[in-house]
Amino acid sequence: YLTPQEIEQGARARGKILIEPHVKQTTWSQNKHWPHWKEFVELAKDLPLAQMSYDKREVLVERLHTQSFRDALKYIANAELVTTPDGALHHACAALGVPCITLWGGLITPDILGYETQTNLWHGAEACGSKHDCRHCHDAMKSITPEEVLTAVEAHLSTTR
């Protein structure tokens, strides 16, 4: 759970659509990278986008600085919607009851780690589970278009506004 103070500390995210273009650095993280973040941000430039960031990686939209996973949770708890590749943040959304659009490539699939309460964008690539740089995973993530993600965001917004 989050304390009332933590919820209030995350207030900058209220009404925001959080994106996470960077995944935690692991030996397989490149297999979860979605290469279309910049195009998506351009298409969604009229939406209230924000991005959590804890290091010196590129910031594409309003930055919400985090120093820990718990910092990320306080922003997620306040967000309108989160868009992220599968991983800790999509699990956090499920735990906190925050809507999430989860991008799935070929590393693992939503039928294994997804949630029915989330919008799972996946084109059916088989899970390879590769712990190494994988062309199959890159191609699967690349197949999800910026327009497809924007359509999912707009569909969510149309049901909540």
Side-chain angles (χ1 to χ4, degrees):
Y1 71 93
L2 295 170
T3 67
Q5 295 83 5
E6 288 171 315
I7 297 291
E8 191 53 39
Q9 290 167 358
R12 280 187 52 208
R14 284 191 187 131
K16 302 280 185 178
I17 299 164
L18 299 183
I19 63 169
E20 187 43 69
H22 306 295
V23 293
K24 181 180 177 182
Q25 296 297 309
T26 64
T27 57
W28 65 86
S29 62
Q30 68 273 10
N31 295 335
K32 293 183 175 190
H33 173 70
W34 187 54
H36 303 300
W37 284 110
K38 287 181 182 177
E39 296 90 341
F40 170 75
V41 165
E42 182 59 32
L43 285 173
K45 63 184 171 212
D46 294 330
L47 296 176
L49 300 177
Q51 146 184 5
M52 295 174 289
S53 177
Y54 63 90
D55 58 16
K56 302 212 183 284
R57 291 187 242 184
E58 183 178 23
V59 177
L60 303 175
V61 293
E62 176 186 353
R63 179 183 184 186
L64 302 175
H65 183 72
T66 59
Q67 294 181 350
S68 67
F69 182 67
R70 194 155 182 102
D71 279 347
L73 294 177
K74 68 186 181 188
Y75 292 127
I76 289 170
N78 279 285
E80 167 81 22
L81 175 67
V82 176
T83 302
T84 184
D86 76 282
L89 298 181
H90 101 275
H91 293 299
C93 290
L96 294 169
V98 174
C100 184
I101 297 169
T102 309
L103 310 178
W104 297 88
L107 183 67
I108 196 75
T109 61
D111 57 325
I112 297 170
L113 286 179
Y115 298 93
E116 290 181 12
T117 58
Q118 296 180 350
T119 300
N120 296 298
L121 296 184
W122 175 58
H123 290 177
E126 290 188 34
C128 73
S130 178
K131 299 282 187 185
H132 306 284
D133 196 16
C134 175
R135 175 60 37 209
H136 158 264
C137 292
H138 291 279
D139 290 345
M141 287 301 279
K142 188 176 183 179
S143 73
I144 302 169
T145 67
E147 294 81 8
E148 188 176 1
V149 176
L150 181 60
T151 297
V153 168
E154 289 171 338
H156 167 78
L157 294 176
S158 72
T159 63
T160 59
R161 291 190 173 163

